[in-house]
Amino acid sequence: METQDFPFTSRGTECAAWLYRPAGDGPHPVVVMAHGFTGTRELALTRYAERFASAGIGVLLFDYRYFGASGGQPRQLLDIGSQLDDWRAAIAAARGVSWADPARIALFGSSYSGGHVVRLASEDRRIAAMVAQCPFSDGAATTRVIPPVHAVRVTAHAVRDQARALLGKAPHYIPAVAEPGQLGMMNTPDAKAGMEALVPAESTWQNRVAARIGLHVPLYRPGRMAKNVQCPALWCVTDQDTLCPAGNTVKWASTAPRAEIKRYPIGHFDIYLGEDFERAVADQTEFLTRHLLD
């Protein structure tokens, strides 16, 4: 396996990426990967990339604009449309890799990006396979499990940030994760400790996000597009998920024509670490190998 820096341009901004090349001459399939809500590429996703590459599948793992090692201003701006454009640019870059097979490009998304890959696979019929891990499927369902007082508090900060944006001012930030009862986009009992457990000693991740995303989370419902995903698609569902309700995810996933659904009796952040990671990555590697290499 070889790993190299592989920056690409999205809407005029350079996005940082790592490209993992499997052993052998190829052509090889490539999985395009990015993280979830405010996550950067070094937060546990390298573990998945290394496993896939060891199995003979290339990986392009990237940071979104405004996050991590990628460019763009203002920093820590989570804009759904921009992230989807970054995915499209990453997919195009993967198809252009000299040793890649452009007919065998797959997608891997986790948490918030698990919703993105459903949206992207539904619109790009050339995608060969898709993996959605503990995916954000339905903002309406997520909003229903948020305590009303917290929802109102986040909305107030989101409105403040949106107003600053309209006036051309710097963003108003709030924490991405926080302890229960504290201000943050995610403040479930496992959110802060779960996210921090993924952060290595040297990391570009910051625990803050422009608050305006709070106005858009309830309206983003990528799970509804599952019925249009024509490629083989694996949903890895965490049944004790306090952020992305498992029942809702399964409901949408079941509408995909070629869906495979794996369920794990764990929480949203457990799937990245330890034995839970080992079970999930084994299932994912088997799925990707079966559809990309066999």
Side-chain angles (χ1 to χ4, degrees):
M1 176 198 326
E2 297 178 8
T3 307
Q4 67 180 85
D5 289 325
F6 189 76
F8 61 91
T9 300
S10 177
R11 299 285 184 176
T13 299
E14 185 174 280
C15 292
W18 289 319
L19 184 64
Y20 295 73
R21 179 177 182 171
D25 294 333
H28 299 289
V30 176
V31 178
V32 181
M33 303 177 63
H35 222 307
F37 198 90
T38 75
T40 50
R41 53 188 174 161
E42 72 274 11
L43 271 62
L45 289 194
T46 53
R47 302 168 188 168
Y48 296 86
E50 289 165 0
R51 293 297 183 88
F52 300 156
S54 294
I57 300 168
V59 175
L60 193 159
L61 172 57
F62 73 96
D63 280 341
Y64 298 110
R65 271 178 288 172
Y66 316 125
F67 288 92
S70 291
Q73 293 292 335
R75 304 306 293 170
Q76 303 297 117
L77 172 63
L78 202 166
D79 179 84
I80 294 169
S82 294
Q83 292 197 344
L84 291 171
D85 282 344
D86 294 349
W87 271 97
R88 296 181 186 108
I91 292 167
R95 287 184 171 131
V97 171
S98 61
W99 48 261
D101 181 352
R104 289 185 291 161
I105 301 298
L107 308 179
F108 176 103
S110 190
S111 192
Y112 212 60
S113 67
H116 290 342
V117 296
V118 173
R119 168 77 178 270
L120 292 154
S122 75
E123 69 181 37
D124 186 345
R125 298 300 173 88
R126 294 179 294 167
I127 296 300
M130 183 207 84
V131 176
Q133 173 176 279
C134 56
F136 178 93
S137 298
D138 189 335
T142 293
T143 301
R144 284 195 293 270
V145 301
I146 296 174
V149 172
H150 177 64
V152 170
R153 191 180 181 192
V154 168
T155 300
H157 284 271
V159 169
R160 177 182 172 185
D161 183 42
Q162 188 63 64
R164 291 181 63 85
L166 293 173
L167 294 172
K169 296 183 178 181
H172 167 64
Y173 296 104
I174 63 173
V177 292
E179 298 289 353
Q182 296 181 352
L183 175 65
M185 282 299 302
M186 297 178 283
N187 70 348
T188 55
D190 60 339
K192 192 169 189 291
M195 193 73 166
E196 290 178 345
L198 307 182
V199 182
E202 295 184 6
S203 175
T204 59
W205 181 72
Q206 299 177 35
N207 186 17
R208 62 175 188 152
V209 65
R212 70 195 73 169
I213 186 60
L215 298 176
H216 303 282
V217 166
L219 305 177
Y220 190 42
R221 307 182 70 190
R224 294 185 300 171
M225 306 302 293
K227 64 182 183 294
N228 298 323
V229 175
Q230 300 299 314
C231 66
L234 175 64
W235 271 263
C236 296
V237 182
T238 44
D239 281 337
Q240 298 171 18
D241 203 313
T242 58
L243 294 168
C244 305
N248 181 268
T249 296
V250 171
K251 178 186 75 172
W252 293 121
S254 299
T255 67
R258 303 176 70 182
E260 299 180 31
I261 301 172
K262 296 284 188 178
R263 304 186 69 163
Y264 309 89
I266 58 176
H268 186 83
F269 295 94
D270 297 327
I271 200 166
Y272 297 98
L273 301 170
E275 294 181 0
D276 297 321
F277 161 75
E278 294 293 343
R279 282 190 288 271
V281 79
D283 289 338
Q284 294 158 3
T285 303
E286 186 280 328
F287 169 83
L288 291 170
T289 299
R290 176 161 36 98
H291 290 290
L292 299 177
L293 294 178
D294 291 350

